[in-house]
Amino acid sequence: MNWNGRFWATALAGSAALALTVVADSTLSVDPAIPAYSKVEGIKGNINIIGSDSCVNLDTLWGEGFKKVYPEVNVSVEGKGSATAPPALAGRTANVGPMSRPMKPEELDSVSSKWGYQPTGVNMAIDALAIVVHKDNPLQNLTLELIDAIFSKTRKGGYHEDITTWGQLGLKGDWENKPISLYGRNSASGTYGYFKEHALYKGDFKSNVKEQPGTAAVVQGVAEDLYGIGYGGIGYLTPGVRAVPLAKSFGGTVFKPTYENSLSGKYPLARFLILYVENAPGKGMDPVVREFVRFVLSKEGQEIVVKDGYMPLTPALVKKELLKLETK
Amino acid sequence: MAHQPNLKAVVIDRVAAKLIPAGGILIVACVLGILVFLFTVAVPLFIPARASAAASIASDWPCLGVDFVEGAPAPWWVTREGAWLPGADEKAERIALPGLAGAVPAAAVQVPTARATGILFTDGRFALVRVEKAPGGAIAGAVLDVLETAQGAGGRVAAARDSEGHARLAVLRDGKVSICGLAGLAGSADTAIPTPGIAAIALSSSGHTLAAALENGELQLWNVEDVSEPGLMPTLPAGPAPWAAVAFLLGDETLLAADSRGSVAGWMRVRHITITNSGGSAASVLGDSIPAGGSVVVPDRDHAKHVVRGGALTIGPGGHRFISSRSFPPLPAPAACIAVSGRNKSFAVADVLGGVSTYHATTGRRTLRIEASAPRPTSSLAFDAAGTGIAAWSDRLRTWSIRDPHPDVSASALLAPLWYESYAGPEFVWQSSSGTQDSEPKYSLWPLFAGTLKGTLYALLFSVPVAFAAAIYVARFAHPRLRSWAKPSIELMAGIPSVVVGMIAALWLAPVLERSLCTVLVGVVLLPPVFLGVVAGFARLPATAGGLRPGVELAGAALSLAVTLLLAFALDGPVERMLFRGDFRQWLFEALHVQYDIRNGFLVGVALGFAVIPVIFTIAEDAVANVPASMTSAAVALGATRWQTVRHVVLPAAASGLFAAVVLGLGRAAGETMIVVMAAGNTPILDPAPWNGMRTLSAAMAIEIPEAPVDGSLYRVLFLTGLLLFAFTAVLNTIAEIVGTRLRRKYGRI
């Protein structure tokens, strides 16, 4: 009885903490000006989603929501990394390719050489890439130059020394001489590429960054390693870790990874998550894919974005993205 | 009664006689097939580039600039009369430029990163023009941006498109340069660079840096981020001959220059540091000397590691500077112009005799040499957007289509240290991908070779002693009853899927090891003395109490292990406090500068060793057990103890089998994938230490194949690593076979 009571109390406390942290922005909600999804008759077929690992939960939830509207549609989801999306689209093993970074010109060419035209990229959600440390880490804030000096061996940000201990970031006491333990994503992920481009100034990672196969693994690694630091999409944060507020450079203002700061571009590591689809000139999109993307851009789809811990588009952005679905 | 041949047996016999060789041949064919497949995928990496002439357009007009149509393999060019496309019947067809009808071009230059050509008109307008083939098939010109300047007279130009999409222009006329672009709200600015005698210019793709090659051989760099206020950056040392052409390589990290003697060189932007010496005497760090009370700015080659904190020397930021870092095979004639690829680190240099050489900056090699049809100087040179075509105008407009799918891979890129962009010197690096195309993929195989050797070595260090000891004990010492279940149960270990071993190692053993590092260390130190103590104790036991009765030694080993464990747990706390200031990991970091990684060589050694033990044990046990009884009986009859028998008779006779066991274990460990993927941290480092991780060849293949674009460089390099692993194992097995046969022959006579 007693044991039972304690168990439930613990479980409740745990889930409350979880709810608080996952929805980092408790006020975050979808703008009511984004219209609800309107069902279209005669939609059936397959949605095969292959691409980003950061988006895999999101894809699955969208798939479930879409299947509720169209029970005859089959949805399959595979998320091994953004780099897997272009080959899958080119080979037509996928008709939706989610990526957490824009395609490189080389990748666009690899798809358009098979199709005869370029894929269409639809922004579908906003993600703030968070720098995560253990929840008990007293670190207050960081700048991109410092992140570069922590993670990169090329230090193109220009910081003059390699940062290997927490003391170099200003932590005192026990932390001062503790080595920093680095966690990162595997190179197939768009997060890896985005981080390399924006936080490492297109430089190279240190060789001793432990490459994890998913953002969840990065977050788990940092949660278990008191002296760890890692990076990952805001949607994956857990109570064991904390996102560090960032400034673009020394002397700049420090911003938390919130919705407002991401929309305004003040938080330096905010990005769009992108769905790549086929919109053949003159022929238009496959109806089932078009409806899937419309669903993603609807009120329901954007509510799923919020539910999964990412940030929704604004009505103006949704309007702009919907234009991309029209036949060219 | 005569024996009747059984018809059924005869049929089965004949079928079997055909089937069994067929099976064998099939296996050999499969192995060869895999080899051939790996080979055919890997070999295109080393096929030299080829160029085939595509178009040759006769002309009597002076060409101001050439470029390629976006989305079609056709060139277009600019003359004083306008912009042109090749049309029907060898006649040129005019391209309409919206808003620029009637304007007369004065100069033009390709801007590869903007996928456009910048055209300066005599009325002072400067336009970025992109000529595109629409999906429907019509080719049309689009004007991306127009800048008003006061530079109507033309000259040699360099152009860029800044991050906001605005045009930037630098004009070189009579040795003087003007830089034009938008400057704040005031509109366009037109500023003269205060240096005379400039021979060639280039703008970085951001438009923020202007490179000026002077007639005296000097190279000047100007910060022109603010067009109205150019600032001179540190000047580069003069070259042996006047520079004829300069250009920024894709990514703006490398400056290329070619001179009037035909040599081609590169400077890279390298991070510098300022070392200040506040002490009373001159000091020296990594060969850079710093006078007393002075300071120097030097390329940052890990100086910080050699500077004592709190000493007289302090290190501060030193900014970025270009330093001479690459030289390329020279041209046969003075250089005329340079074109850079907008796709990768390739560039082309044309000479005054009309020949064109292409180079790849990362590998430093010449990828292609196109000879001229007639010795006329080339005045315009351009790459197409995909990097698969080159156009050059000398006596006529000629284009070539280039087939060079893997310019970034060569034997030296795979095996030699290369000086990559933003590095302070040549290094072995494996970092194969990035999110942008202007970074260099790094395919040095040494970190992967080193990782494979490291994992294998630690696995063998752990498994060979354990497996050999177990094999000798089970075959020669153990009670037959123990033997009957010990051998199968050790062999059963081989049936545990390696992913399970890897998972246990990564998720359970790694944190345990991290927490009890000191305990493990104490245990390892204590085990030998404890073991000797237990042996001595057993020896003193009276024979009637059992003593060292054959077959029960296992109890002694178990007792030693138990005592060691107990002692280790009891002593680790005090030892850590007394010797290692209470925290062994921290002591390692502070005293030895060793960063203990949770996924490390020791962990992999244990996990991989666990997987290899059954392989080594089985073969070693067979070898030891199969030593002829006649030999051991003879030894025993001569009064040898069991250990003497094993040491002097059994081990020499079984040596070939033991050797084969080690080699097969080696092969298994080198090829093992799942355990290293999960437990090694996958850090591609060149460090044999047991406290940090590694990335093996097999792990690199498993991790990176899903992201590798099919038939791309990374894809083929990964197949090449597969081929090398295959060859490595084949060579090992062959060595094992040869040595094994020799040893067998030697001891076979006994």
Side-chain angles (χ1 to χ4, degrees):
Chain A
M1 188 69 177
N2 190 12
W3 182 87
N4 241 345
R6 200 182 302 157
F7 172 79
W8 284 113
T10 316
L12 276 177
S15 56
L18 197 75
L20 273 178
T21 322
V22 169
V23 186
D25 237 335
S26 52
T27 56
L28 203 57
S29 62
V30 177
D31 194 307
I34 295 177
Y37 183 71
S38 53
K39 191 178 172 179
V40 178
E41 289 308 314
I43 295 297
K44 50 183 178 233
N46 294 310
I47 297 283
N48 297 318
I49 307 174
I50 298 181
S52 169
D53 161 80
S54 300
C55 308
V56 69
N57 288 345
L58 209 50
D59 301 334
T60 313
L61 292 173
W62 278 330
E64 282 167 11
F66 194 60
K67 261 183 88 77
K68 268 186 205 145
V69 186
Y70 302 108
E72 276 149 61
V73 173
N74 285 316
V75 183
S76 71
V77 178
E78 193 183 307
K80 281 197 199 139
S82 294
T84 59
L89 286 171
R92 293 194 203 273
T93 49
N95 49 15
V96 176
M99 291 180 70
S100 56
R101 59 165 170 82
M103 274 198 201
K104 294 188 259 185
E106 205 179 341
E107 292 170 330
L108 287 171
D109 282 357
S110 75
V111 179
S112 66
S113 69
K114 291 267 165 60
W115 289 0
Y117 43 86
Q118 300 223 322
T120 307
V122 182
N123 298 334
M124 43 131 169
I126 296 167
D127 181 24
L129 203 62
I131 303 296
V132 292
V133 293
H134 191 272
K135 65 173 175 5
D136 297 332
N137 190 318
L139 187 69
Q140 286 305 310
N141 49 51
L142 281 173
T143 70
L144 290 189
E145 289 101 332
L146 290 172
I147 295 174
D148 181 50
I150 295 168
F151 278 97
S152 172
K153 64 171 146 192
T154 48
R155 295 207 299 288
K156 288 174 81 174
Y159 195 69
H160 61 281
E161 61 175 353
D162 185 18
I163 297 183
T164 54
T165 62
W166 288 103
Q168 288 171 285
L169 293 170
L171 299 196
K172 298 280 175 230
D174 268 359
W175 287 81
E176 192 166 343
N177 280 318
K178 293 287 191 266
I180 301 176
S181 165
L182 306 171
Y183 292 82
R185 286 294 314 277
N186 56 322
S187 49
S189 71
T191 308
Y192 173 98
Y194 181 89
F195 197 77
K196 209 170 166 174
E197 185 181 354
H198 291 91
L200 306 190
Y201 303 84
K202 296 185 178 177
D204 278 355
F205 279 104
K206 285 180 185 168
S207 299
N208 61 351
V209 179
K210 292 175 270 297
E211 289 191 10
Q212 309 287 327
T215 303
V218 173
V219 170
Q220 193 211 357
V222 175
E224 283 175 3
D225 188 341
L226 185 58
Y227 306 109
I229 188 167
Y231 57 87
I234 192 107
Y236 281 84
L237 298 199
T238 65
V241 299
R242 192 167 60 82
V244 184
L246 302 183
K248 207 173 194 108
S249 54
F250 288 117
T253 320
V254 175
F255 293 99
K256 284 184 182 167
T258 61
Y259 190 38
E260 290 72 28
N261 292 340
S262 302
L263 276 180
S264 62
K266 285 176 181 159
Y267 182 73
L269 295 178
R271 58 178 175 169
F272 282 117
L273 301 178
I274 308 163
L275 283 183
Y276 279 94
V277 291
E278 182 174 2
N279 188 356
K283 242 172 73 189
M285 294 174 69
D286 180 4
V288 63
V289 177
R290 187 191 64 223
E291 288 313 309
F292 181 75
V293 180
R294 275 194 56 228
F295 176 79
V296 165
L297 294 173
S298 70
K299 180 166 157 283
E300 291 87 342
Q302 292 298 304
E303 273 166 358
I304 289 174
V305 169
V306 177
K307 190 173 150 194
D308 198 36
Y310 290 105
M311 297 178 257
L313 300 180
T314 61
L317 285 170
V318 165
K319 211 168 174 182
K320 200 174 125 204
E321 297 309 310
L322 281 172
L323 285 178
K324 294 182 185 167
L325 306 185
E326 286 171 12
T327 306
K328 282 177 274 188
Chain B
M1 205 169 81
H3 186 71
Q4 289 295 313
N6 182 337
L7 190 64
K8 198 172 147 200
V10 168
V11 170
I12 290 176
D13 186 59
R14 286 205 179 142
V15 171
K18 293 268 183 304
L19 266 182
I20 290 168
I25 289 168
L26 196 68
I27 289 171
V28 172
C30 282
V31 172
L32 285 178
I34 292 173
L35 197 63
V36 168
F37 176 66
L38 289 175
F39 198 72
T40 49
V41 177
V43 146
L45 284 176
F46 303 104
I47 293 178
R50 286 188 307 274
S52 48
S56 176
I57 299 159
S59 60
D60 45 7
W61 25 259
C63 175
L64 299 173
V66 289
D67 199 350
F68 278 89
V69 176
E70 216 30 36
W76 67 279
W77 62 94
V78 182
T79 70
R80 290 203 162 272
E81 282 71 43
W84 306 91
L85 273 173
D89 304 334
E90 297 221 343
K91 284 208 176 107
E93 192 181 304
R94 182 183 290 276
I95 307 168
L97 300 176
L100 295 166
V104 179
V109 66
Q110 193 198 22
V111 189
T113 46
R115 293 183 160 198
T117 278
I119 307 176
L120 177 65
F121 296 92
T122 50
D123 60 8
R125 280 186 294 174
F126 173 70
L128 281 177
V129 175
R130 182 184 292 167
V131 177
E132 254 175 317
K133 181 170 186 265
I139 294 178
V143 177
L144 305 180
D145 191 47
V146 177
L147 185 74
E148 306 279 346
T149 75
Q151 302 291 333
R156 281 171 78 179
V157 290
R161 191 185 194 201
D162 68 16
S163 52
E164 274 94 52
H166 297 304
R168 285 274 175 108
L169 172 71
V171 184
L172 167 64
R173 194 169 48 248
D174 304 331
K176 291 191 175 160
V177 172
S178 294
I179 174 101
C180 321
L182 289 184
L185 302 171
S188 55
D190 219 318
T191 315
I193 299 285
T195 305
I198 294 174
I201 50 168
L203 267 181
S204 67
S205 62
S206 62
H208 290 174
T209 312
L210 171 81
L214 272 58
E215 280 156 3
N216 66 8
E218 245 176 56
L219 274 175
Q220 284 189 346
L221 288 166
W222 290 83
N223 180 353
V224 291
E225 193 167 350
D226 180 354
V227 180
S228 52
E229 270 182 43
L232 184 63
M233 292 152 73
T235 301
L236 302 172
W243 300 109
V246 283
F248 282 95
L249 197 64
L250 176 70
D252 293 347
E253 293 284 331
T254 302
L255 176 67
L256 300 163
D259 73 12
S260 56
R261 292 202 307 207
S263 57
V264 183
W267 288 261
M268 280 189 323
R269 196 171 160 267
V270 169
R271 184 186 63 245
H272 281 56
I273 48 169
T274 310
I275 308 179
T276 309
N277 185 357
S278 57
S281 56
S284 168
V285 182
L286 284 178
D288 294 311
S289 59
I290 310 119
S295 65
V296 290
V297 177
V298 292
D300 184 3
R301 298 195 171 97
D302 271 341
H303 291 74
K305 279 187 189 154
H306 304 271
V307 169
V308 185
R309 276 178 180 249
L313 297 179
T314 47
I315 288 182
H320 287 88
R321 291 183 181 186
F322 281 85
I323 59 173
S324 173
S325 52
R326 283 168 174 169
S327 68
F328 301 93
L331 302 166
C337 47
I338 301 180
V340 297
S341 166
R343 174 52 55 88
N344 55 34
K345 301 288 182 184
S346 294
F347 65 96
V349 187
D351 55 52
V352 295
L353 297 180
V356 178
S357 298
T358 65
Y359 299 87
H360 191 265
T362 311
T363 60
R365 69 200 170 101
R366 174 160 42 208
T367 47
L368 209 56
R369 169 78 196 157
I370 303 168
E371 294 302 335
S373 56
R376 289 271 302 275
T378 304
S379 66
S380 286
L381 186 66
F383 267 102
D384 74 348
T388 53
I390 288 185
W393 189 83
S394 51
D395 55 323
R396 52 202 289 135
L397 178 62
R398 296 190 295 161
T399 67
W400 296 269
S401 76
I402 291 175
R403 178 129 183 80
D404 188 15
H406 309 291
D408 46 358
V409 179
S410 67
S412 67
L414 297 173
L415 299 174
L418 288 188
W419 192 337
Y420 298 105
E421 288 183 345
S422 7
Y423 282 65
E427 272 185 51
F428 295 107
V429 186
W430 173 270
Q431 194 155 141
S432 57
S433 34
S434 68
T436 50
Q437 63 176 350
D438 54 6
S439 60
E440 293 171 308
K442 299 166 186 79
Y443 298 121
S444 176
L445 293 180
W446 288 113
L448 304 185
F449 288 150
T452 305
L453 286 181
K454 179 176 169 181
T456 310
L457 186 75
Y458 284 114
L460 290 186
L461 278 180
F462 177 73
S463 60
V464 168
V466 174
F468 274 13
I472 293 167
Y473 178 74
V474 168
R476 288 285 155 190
F477 291 75
H479 194 277
R481 248 190 319 188
L482 175 70
R483 192 185 169 198
S484 65
W485 64 261
K487 189 167 164 31
S489 54
I490 294 179
E491 283 167 357
L492 207 63
M493 273 165 64
I496 302 174
S498 59
V499 64
V500 175
V501 178
M503 200 169 72
I504 293 172
L507 298 182
W508 176 76
L509 187 58
V512 167
L513 207 59
E514 188 196 14
R515 276 197 304 275
S516 30
L517 204 56
C518 196
T519 319
V520 172
L521 193 77
V522 170
V524 168
V525 172
L526 282 182
L527 187 60
V530 168
F531 189 75
L532 288 178
V534 169
V535 169
F538 263 88
R540 275 162 194 254
L541 279 180
T544 46
L548 271 174
R549 211 175 66 206
V552 297
E553 301 89 343
L554 199 60
L559 185 65
S560 320
L561 210 59
V563 171
T564 308
L565 273 177
L566 279 176
L567 280 176
F569 276 110
L571 291 177
D572 65 339
V575 166
E576 200 162 9
R577 269 195 300 280
M578 283 189 310
L579 293 181
F580 307 120
R581 297 178 223 150
D583 187 343
F584 182 55
R585 271 182 75 185
Q586 192 59 29
W587 178 83
L588 274 179
F589 183 70
E590 284 169 19
L592 305 179
H593 302 290
V594 162
Q595 185 163 355
Y596 178 84
D597 250 319
I598 180 162
R599 307 270 153 88
N600 56 47
F602 183 72
L603 177 73
V604 169
V606 172
L608 204 52
F610 184 82
V612 173
I613 282 173
V615 177
I616 300 180
F617 170 80
T618 307
I619 298 166
E621 204 271 349
D622 284 344
V624 174
N626 288 338
V627 172
S630 55
M631 291 168 73
T632 50
S633 304
V636 172
L638 289 170
T641 60
R642 284 186 302 160
W643 171 244
Q644 285 170 329
T645 311
V646 166
R647 169 77 184 76
H648 296 289
V649 177
V650 175
L651 284 186
S656 62
L658 296 178
F659 182 78
V662 172
V663 168
L664 285 174
L666 190 76
R668 168 80 208 275
E672 173 56 47
T673 310
M674 276 326 288
I675 292 175
V676 276
V677 165
M678 302 188 80
N682 300 318
T683 50
I685 53 177
L686 270 171
D687 186 347
W691 45 75
N692 50 32
M694 73 208 75
R695 179 181 296 198
T696 65
L697 289 166
S698 54
M701 273 185 269
I703 297 169
E704 305 197 16
I705 258 302
E707 72 183 270
V710 176
D711 294 345
S713 294
L714 175 59
Y715 181 84
R716 293 193 194 280
V717 168
L718 290 174
F719 270 83
L720 180 71
T721 61
L723 189 67
L724 292 173
L725 200 55
F726 193 113
F728 178 67
T729 321
V731 167
L732 269 187
N733 288 355
T734 312
I735 292 173
E737 193 57 36
I738 291 171
V739 175
T741 317
R742 275 197 191 157
L743 286 173
R744 224 174 290 136
R745 221 178 283 148
K746 185 176 164 196
Y747 285 100
R749 282 191 226 106
I750 299 171

